[in-house]
Amino acid sequence: MRGMLSPSLMCADVLNLQRELTVLDELGVDYIHLDFMDNHFVPNITLDTELIKKTKSVLKHMKRDIHIMAFEPQQYFDRMEIGEGDIVSVHYEACGDLGAVIADIRARGAKAFVAISPDTEPDVLSQWLGKIDGVLVMTVYPGFAGRPIVPGSMEKLRAVRKMIDESGRSLPLEVDGHVSWDLCAEMRACGADIFVAGSSSLYQKGLDIGQAVERMTELVQ
Ligand code: DX5
Ligand code: ZN
């Protein structure tokens, strides 16, 4: 599976989001990473359901990669208009009935990814690998951009990739958190396929977004 970028919209210029989306769409970027937070599962609030819904009307090519850092995420699916083509990552730690949440996402025609936070061991995924469409590994503690990578994250990525491969499923592995210029190639070598590009790469100050997208795309192939 080729390496794909998912720029994190919460790290872009939040006063000009429609322009940011259009620029990335026209660059042919695969995914746009849309973080939703409930101020309970993580102590922060970022993009809201209305904005996440409205992105559908702007995107021509890019697919939505929605990362829900909220308890009982299914309560927000209607408001986000979850549907065909979307990736929806829900946290293992935040769902009372993960099986029902996964089924709900798939019933809407979207791809169900399970996200695990840094303190959650990969083996919790083993019973789910046959029922999901991908895994998101948080390599920082979720809730804020600009956080440092958690020690042991590369080993964790390798372990999850090994679990996925041994399951016989060719599931994509998404990495989210401090995906930096100097670490993204190593993350690829550990088995990541989708790279959430935020303040540690594409949205570093003063970069030309077109050149940054081109450079990062090369680094993760
Ligand atoms: C953080 C979010 C990430 C964040 C990554 O909880 O899930 O998507 O935007 O930003 P950086 O690249 O700054 O870690
Ligand atoms: Zn995220």
Side-chain angles (χ1 to χ4, degrees):
M1 191 176 301
R2 68 182 171 86
M4 292 175 273
L5 301 189
S6 187
S8 179
L9 193 65
M10 72 177 262
C11 300
D13 173 1
V14 289
L15 293 177
N16 293 285
L17 289 179
Q18 179 160 354
R19 187 197 65 198
E20 298 276 9
L21 287 166
T22 304
V23 162
L24 291 169
D25 212 11
E26 288 170 356
L27 285 169
V29 170
D30 289 291
Y31 290 101
I32 183 72
H33 190 79
L34 302 167
D35 289 303
F36 176 82
M37 303 176 187
D38 65 357
N39 204 33
H40 294 288
F41 179 67
V42 293
N44 195 6
I45 293 174
T46 49
L47 311 173
D48 71 354
T49 54
E50 187 63 11
L51 171 72
I52 290 172
K53 179 185 81 174
K54 288 254 171 65
T55 58
K56 289 179 85 156
S57 63
V58 175
L59 299 179
K60 292 186 172 52
H61 155 78
M62 257 185 329
K63 299 262 185 277
R64 299 192 301 174
D65 170 31
I66 301 167
H67 177 197
I68 305 179
M69 287 160 274
F71 287 111
E72 301 315 333
Q74 65 280 10
Q75 63 185 305
Y76 306 106
F77 292 170
D78 285 342
R79 278 180 268 173
M80 294 176 178
E81 291 189 358
I82 300 294
E84 200 72 36
D86 289 337
I87 287 177
V88 180
S89 292
V90 294
H91 272 266
Y92 169 83
E93 307 90 353
C95 298
D97 182 346
L98 182 57
V101 174
I102 291 166
D104 188 342
I105 295 168
R106 288 178 141 191
R108 296 165 186 261
K111 292 186 174 68
F113 280 34
V114 171
I116 52 172
S117 291
D119 292 341
T120 302
E121 290 304 318
D123 55 14
V124 304
L125 295 167
S126 46
Q127 63 173 312
W128 299 104
L129 292 177
K131 303 184 180 82
I132 58 179
D133 303 296
V135 175
L136 185 148
V137 171
M138 288 303 297
T139 42
V140 297
Y141 283 96
F144 296 88
R147 284 185 156 173
I149 192 161
V150 171
S153 290
M154 297 299 178
E155 293 75 11
K156 187 170 196 178
L157 286 170
R158 262 195 288 276
V160 174
R161 170 46 62 198
K162 185 166 179 286
M163 282 178 69
I164 293 173
D165 292 348
E166 287 172 351
S167 77
R169 307 271 329 274
S170 62
L171 299 178
L173 172 53
E174 180 169 356
V175 55
D176 184 0
H178 201 85
V179 178
S180 59
W181 291 114
D182 59 330
L183 291 178
C184 62
E186 187 182 350
M187 290 170 163
R188 176 64 171 163
C190 290
D193 304 297
I194 302 173
F195 299 79
V196 176
S199 66
S200 324
S201 54
L202 293 192
Y203 291 110
Q204 273 177 339
K205 294 270 171 287
L207 292 186
D208 170 83
I209 190 69
Q211 290 169 7
V213 163
E214 195 177 329
R215 182 172 157 224
M216 189 145 196
T217 302
E218 278 164 26
L219 283 171
V220 300
Q221 287 321 307

